[in-house]
Amino acid sequence: MKMKKLNIMIPGILMASSALMTSCADSFLDVESKTESNTETFYKTESDAWRALIGCYAGWRETTSNGSIPLVMSSIMQSDECLAGAGQNDAPNYDVVDQFDQSKAPSYTNLWEYDWKAYYVAIDRCNELITRQDNIAWKDSTLKQRYIGEARALRALCYFDLVRMFENVPLLTEPSAENTPQATPDEVYELIFSDLKYAAENIPADAYPKANAASNDGHITAYGAKGILARAYLYYNGRFGKEPAGCTKAEALKACEDIIASNEFALIPQFRNLWPASASNALDAAANGTYEEWLANTTYAGPGNSEFIVSMKCNYTQDYNGNNDGNRWLINLGIRGVQAIDCSPYGYGWGICTVNPNLVAAYGKGDQRLAASIIDINKEGISRKENFKEKCIGDQREYTGYYVKKYTPMATTDCTPLPVLWGAPGNAMTGQWQDVIILRYADVLLMAAELGSSSAQKYMDMVRQRAYTDKDGKLSSDYKQVAANKQNIMKERRLEFAFEGIRYYDLLRQGIDVAADAISGTTTVTNGGVEATVTVKAANIKAKNGLCQIPHNQITLSNNVLKQNPGW
């Protein structure tokens, strides 16, 4: 049975590094080595550099495949998009995240430890390749620039996630096992902008053209680096109220305009076709026996389409034996309790991150993004399934009637999870295969508009008109043009990028008071079918300045060199 082809994410090829070769007891950044090569015998040839680069990508992906609370899942729970959800008897650790309240689960003081470790492992791999580049006998200087550019872009992505989640983090630019104190956010951002500029300037623009997306899907391109640079600028500028040292507003706008002018990217005509579950109707197991057959029988635009600029590649081959290449958090977002209820194309999950009804109400009449982004249990008829109340709502906590559709497990009409149908060596818990979309062309258009492009209204209209385009390709009569001002752009971003890990940081960059006001409040839910309420207090969000808890274990291992964020 054929596997989904991922051309650069080759699992199991990992590099040794000085930080990875030391006992875990020696440093809070150390992890166990699982390598065959070492730094004395490696980094000699271009082939070695390629293997090292694959290790960098694999390390970055493990920030999603490690089974923790990664940025996307964490941020949609922290924002006004989702509640904690989960099952009646599940541990209340997600309440700590959703409500910014340690008292909900006092013993859960290491919620983001796997994330912290995974990011630093990925950074260490990037540092190894970057610092040892001159040891390699390069035959092609352009190849060197491309590989190092990709490694530096990946390092920037990792630090950008870390600094947004924790803000106060150690900054390592070379392999090290030192007990390193936290750097200032400015120091971290200086490296982020430097790395992204290097990548944008040194990765050839034609290295990975979208015309060859099937073979190059997944690489960080020069355009990807430019788009993340604009995002980092907007976040820093809003969060800290000043220009960053490493990037100007004009540079951020030019980065977006360069992407647009390249003609490498375009909006997919139908928003629903960006997401596997949104693009699929009920799946007959007999007609969708392989990944290729499923893809041929759906309107899904595919993982390497013209709108996706940066994607984290995932596969259904992850298992419990160290093969970490799946989307481990996606199973958490699935509809709880439908293992024996035909809800195809939706598969079962743990019911975490139930959707806040306030988000549902924010979509305008005729906006196609609502049905493409959110599973409406009642509207889609799932609530009428036999035993639904007993099997699903009966065990669901913080049930609102809405689940995330953009990222949800999928199954056939006989309730077989697609990873299992396709012969995954693991199971539906580990083998979720949907890629994590980091940057879309729609985001570039709206960032350019926000940054003051002379074409701001045109870019805004492009995104909104796509949202109001019916399945027949006609613009809905419900469409109304809105001015491309800051307020309307932020409203549009909320609707366009729901559940993509963007909304929470869009709120924070408008100020902690704005974020706290949007997120706080009381929501009516049902717990096991019994009406209840969930309250998020603005004071809790402000006390923590919107930041995540630095893992207590890491503070202990650092001999208290690391300092906890305020409020935790």
Side-chain angles (χ1 to χ4, degrees):
M1 186 171 290
K2 292 184 178 180
M3 294 289 184
K4 177 185 176 188
K5 295 180 180 179
L6 303 182
N7 296 282
I8 65 169
M9 296 304 189
I10 304 173
I13 302 179
L14 309 179
M15 305 300 117
S17 70
S18 58
L20 300 183
M21 295 170 65
T22 311
S23 166
C24 288
D26 293 337
S27 169
F28 71 102
L29 292 179
D30 288 343
V31 296
E32 183 181 356
S33 174
K34 295 182 179 180
T35 63
E36 296 177 358
S37 301
N38 60 60
T39 53
E40 298 303 318
T41 61
F42 208 71
Y43 301 103
K44 302 294 185 184
T45 68
E46 289 178 344
S47 177
D48 293 340
W50 171 247
R51 291 179 63 207
L53 181 60
I54 291 171
C56 296
Y57 276 102
W60 178 50
R61 182 177 55 199
E62 288 201 33
T63 62
T64 276
S65 65
N66 64 31
S68 62
I69 312 177
L71 181 144
V72 174
M73 180 178 160
S74 175
S75 66
I76 67 174
M77 200 182 298
Q78 290 172 298
S79 74
D80 55 352
E81 296 174 305
C82 293
L83 307 176
Q88 289 288 85
N89 297 317
D90 286 340
N93 52 324
Y94 295 118
D95 286 349
V96 177
V97 180
D98 177 44
Q99 299 178 40
F100 298 81
D101 189 349
Q102 188 69 64
S103 70
K104 295 294 180 178
S107 64
Y108 284 87
T109 57
N110 297 294
L111 289 170
W112 287 280
E113 184 170 31
Y114 285 153
D115 305 276
W116 182 279
K117 289 180 177 180
Y119 277 114
Y120 277 108
V121 168
I123 288 167
D124 189 77
R125 294 180 187 178
C126 294
N127 285 341
E128 279 287 349
L129 177 54
I130 294 164
T131 58
R132 297 181 189 278
Q133 60 183 288
D134 291 336
N135 296 352
I136 296 166
W138 298 97
K139 298 177 182 178
D140 184 340
S141 60
T142 302
L143 194 66
K144 175 183 177 180
Q145 292 174 324
R146 194 181 94 193
Y147 287 5
I148 301 305
E150 290 183 55
R152 290 186 65 169
L154 288 168
R155 182 171 69 178
L157 280 166
C158 289
Y159 271 123
F160 187 37
D161 283 359
L162 278 170
V163 78
R164 284 184 295 166
M165 292 175 75
F166 304 103
E167 200 157 282
N168 305 292
V169 299
L171 179 63
L172 302 175
T173 58
E174 59 184 30
S176 173
E178 295 299 316
N179 192 358
T180 307
Q182 289 137 303
T184 66
D186 279 355
E187 291 171 321
V188 179
Y189 275 100
E190 185 175 356
L191 178 71
I192 290 170
F193 288 120
S194 174
D195 278 349
L196 291 172
K197 284 184 176 181
Y198 180 93
E201 294 166 1
N202 287 278
I203 301 174
D206 60 353
Y208 307 111
K210 294 302 286 187
N212 294 320
S215 61
N216 291 320
D217 176 33
H219 281 281
I220 306 295
T221 67
Y223 300 119
K226 290 180 179 182
I228 298 300
L229 181 140
R231 180 180 289 175
Y233 171 84
L234 282 168
Y235 183 76
Y236 180 97
N237 179 251
R239 180 73 160 158
F240 300 103
K242 60 182 181 179
E243 290 270 287
C247 185
T248 66
K249 182 178 181 180
E251 288 176 314
L253 174 57
K254 184 178 185 303
C256 292
E257 297 283 22
D258 285 349
I259 296 171
I260 296 167
S262 74
N263 294 318
E264 285 284 324
F265 307 95
L267 297 177
I268 293 298
Q270 289 286 327
F271 185 84
R272 66 189 291 265
N273 293 335
L274 290 168
W275 316 103
S278 304
S280 298
N281 296 314
L283 302 174
D284 187 325
N288 294 277
T290 67
Y291 172 77
E292 289 79 9
E293 289 171 335
W294 168 79
L295 193 59
N297 286 281
T298 178
T299 59
Y300 175 44
N305 65 71
S306 65
E307 187 162 341
F308 294 165
I309 300 175
V310 179
S311 302
M312 179 186 286
K313 303 302 297 178
C314 297
N315 211 332
Y316 52 83
T317 55
Q318 179 156 338
D319 53 33
Y320 293 107
N321 299 314
N323 187 20
N324 294 327
D325 61 0
N327 185 335
R328 282 288 298 276
W329 56 265
L330 187 138
I331 190 73
N332 291 333
L333 274 56
I335 305 171
R336 190 173 186 87
V338 296
Q339 287 90 331
I341 298 174
D342 171 22
C343 290
S344 181
Y346 313 127
Y348 67 85
W350 302 132
I352 299 170
C353 294
T354 49
V355 176
N356 193 319
N358 288 337
L359 174 59
V360 179
Y363 286 91
K365 181 182 177 183
D367 192 332
Q368 301 293 316
R369 294 173 298 194
L370 173 58
S373 304
I374 298 170
I375 300 171
D376 185 331
I377 294 297
N378 292 312
K379 191 172 183 179
E380 297 192 31
I382 298 173
S383 61
R384 296 190 293 274
K385 296 282 186 179
E386 185 178 1
N387 297 324
F388 175 78
K389 289 185 178 180
E390 293 79 6
K391 292 182 177 293
C392 303
I393 298 179
D395 190 41
Q396 175 68 66
R397 188 166 164 274
E398 298 181 355
Y399 176 77
T400 63
Y402 306 105
Y403 292 87
V404 175
K405 187 183 290 189
K406 284 184 180 178
Y407 289 108
T408 196
M410 297 177 66
T412 61
T413 50
D414 64 357
C415 300
T416 301
L418 291 195
V420 175
L421 179 73
W422 296 336
N427 53 41
M429 299 298 103
T430 61
Q432 295 300 330
W433 50 276
Q434 186 176 340
D435 296 344
V436 183
I437 308 308
I438 308 300
L439 177 68
R440 292 198 279 118
Y441 186 59
D443 198 355
V444 172
L445 293 172
L446 290 181
M447 287 193 295
E450 184 178 346
L451 287 163
S453 170
S454 60
S455 300
Q457 190 64 56
K458 173 186 174 182
Y459 298 155
M460 180 80 156
D461 292 346
M462 288 170 65
V463 174
R464 280 183 52 78
Q465 286 174 4
R466 194 262 298 269
Y468 285 85
T469 297
D470 296 328
K471 291 181 180 180
D472 60 6
K474 296 180 180 179
L475 188 63
S476 170
S477 59
D478 295 310
Y479 170 76
K480 299 289 188 299
Q481 187 186 62
V482 298
N485 56 40
K486 178 69 175 289
Q487 182 180 12
N488 286 335
I489 289 171
M490 297 311 293
K491 288 181 179 178
E492 203 62 33
R493 292 180 63 83
R494 179 189 186 190
L495 306 176
E496 178 73 20
F497 306 119
F499 319 121
E500 296 180 48
I502 293 175
R503 168 66 174 174
Y504 182 59
Y505 297 107
D506 275 353
L507 286 172
L508 285 182
R509 68 183 175 89
Q510 295 177 76
I512 190 63
D513 289 340
V514 172
D517 183 61
I519 297 166
S520 62
T522 298
T523 305
T524 300
V525 300
T526 62
N527 292 334
V530 179
E531 186 172 299
T533 58
V534 176
T535 299
V536 179
K537 298 177 181 178
N540 286 344
I541 302 169
K542 293 178 182 180
K544 297 168 180 62
N545 199 24
L547 299 175
C548 295
Q549 165 205 88
I550 294 175
H552 179 74
N553 282 347
Q554 299 303 306
I555 295 174
T556 300
L557 287 170
S558 75
N559 292 320
N560 293 311
V561 169
L562 290 180
K563 305 302 179 185
Q564 183 58 270
N565 282 326
W568 289 106

